[in-house]
Amino acid sequence: MTYKNIFFSFLLLSFSLSSQAQVYFTRAGKISFYSNAPMENIEAHNVAATSIFNAQTGQIEFAVLIKAFQFEKALMQEHFNGNYLESSKFPKSTFKGEIVNLSDINFNIDGIYNAVIKGILSIHGVSQNIQAEGKFMIRNGQITATSRFNLAISDYNIKVPNVVRDNIAKVVRVSVDLAFEKMEKGYKK
C-alpha cells in the first residue's frame, strides 16, 4: 500500500459516511504555484493532490506530496525539495477546514457558486489559519472547484539564502483546480 493510499484511507476514516452523507473525493487534484521575481519566474505543478469533502457539513481536506511538484527546470525542483521545502523532512502539505458559506451552495442544482473556505494549512512543518475564496461549479451532477490565493513563504518558515533572495518572490500565487467524484456508499479503495 502506497503512502498516498494510506493517507487517502485516513481521510476517509475522518469523515462520517452515513447513508445520507454526500461525500466527494479526488486523487487527481491540480495544485500549482507561481512566483514572479525580477531574475526568474518560478512555476510548479502537482496533479496528484488528494481531497475529500462532505457537502452536508462543509468539511474539506487536502493532502499534497511535496515531491510530486514538477518544475520546468530540474535544478529548480532539486532546490525546492532539498533547500526550501525540505521534502524529505516534511513530505506533505495538508489543509483541513470548512466551507464557511455552505448554505449559499446547492450541490444538486447546476450553477457556479462562490465559496469561502477557512481552515488550517500546514506546510514545511508550520500550521497557519487561512481563509480563501473559491468557486464550486456544478454541471450535470459533476462538481469542480477552483481557488486562487497568495501565500507568504515566510509564514511557513521557508528560508531563502541571501545569495538568491532577490531571485525568489516573498509571496507565491497558489492555484487549486479539483474535479470531484461522488463517493458511493460502501466505497472500497
Side-chain angles (χ1 to χ4, degrees):
M1 186 179 263
T2 67
Y3 176 80
K4 189 174 177 181
N5 286 339
I6 291 170
F7 190 80
F8 188 71
S9 296
F10 174 75
L11 284 177
L12 288 176
L13 292 175
S14 70
F15 276 78
S16 170
L17 296 176
S18 70
S19 61
Q20 292 97 3
Q22 294 179 0
V23 178
Y24 298 85
F25 75 100
T26 184
R27 293 184 192 182
K30 298 173 185 170
I31 297 186
S32 59
F33 68 85
Y34 178 78
S35 162
N36 184 319
M39 295 294 289
E40 187 171 33
N41 295 331
I42 300 170
E43 188 171 4
H45 303 274
N46 185 323
V47 296
T50 301
S51 179
I52 188 168
F53 86 94
N54 185 318
Q56 288 180 305
T57 66
Q59 289 179 286
I60 188 164
E61 295 186 22
F62 292 87
V64 179
L65 293 177
I66 299 301
K67 286 185 179 180
F69 278 99
Q70 298 296 308
F71 292 74
E72 182 179 335
K73 296 179 181 176
L75 187 58
M76 284 182 181
Q77 191 162 331
E78 183 180 322
H79 288 175
F80 174 79
N81 283 299
N83 301 337
Y84 304 118
L85 271 287
E86 301 175 276
S87 59
S88 293
K89 187 175 180 182
F90 306 105
K92 69 180 181 331
S93 172
T94 60
F95 174 81
K96 185 174 183 176
E98 65 182 337
I99 302 166
V100 175
N101 62 325
L102 184 63
S103 62
D104 295 340
I105 304 169
N106 188 332
F107 293 103
N108 298 312
I109 297 177
D110 285 3
I112 298 174
Y113 300 90
N114 292 322
V116 177
I117 299 172
K118 72 174 184 176
I120 299 173
L121 177 63
S122 298
I123 301 172
H124 195 240
V126 177
S127 297
Q128 296 282 348
N129 288 314
I130 69 162
Q131 182 168 306
E133 294 180 2
K135 292 189 183 302
F136 279 91
M137 286 77 58
I138 293 87
R139 185 171 181 212
N140 298 324
Q142 298 296 309
I143 298 173
T144 58
T146 60
S147 181
R148 310 286 179 261
F149 56 94
N150 294 326
L151 288 180
I153 61 173
S154 61
D155 287 349
Y156 294 91
N157 201 25
I158 299 168
K159 305 289 188 222
V160 178
N162 288 339
V163 70
V164 293
R165 182 179 305 163
D166 293 334
N167 297 358
I168 309 280
K170 293 172 179 41
V171 175
V172 297
R173 181 82 170 153
V174 178
S175 299
V176 179
D177 295 285
L178 307 165
F180 287 102
E181 298 176 41
K182 187 168 186 176
M183 187 172 299
E184 301 301 328
K185 186 178 176 187
Y187 172 83
K188 304 268 192 251
K189 68 168 186 34

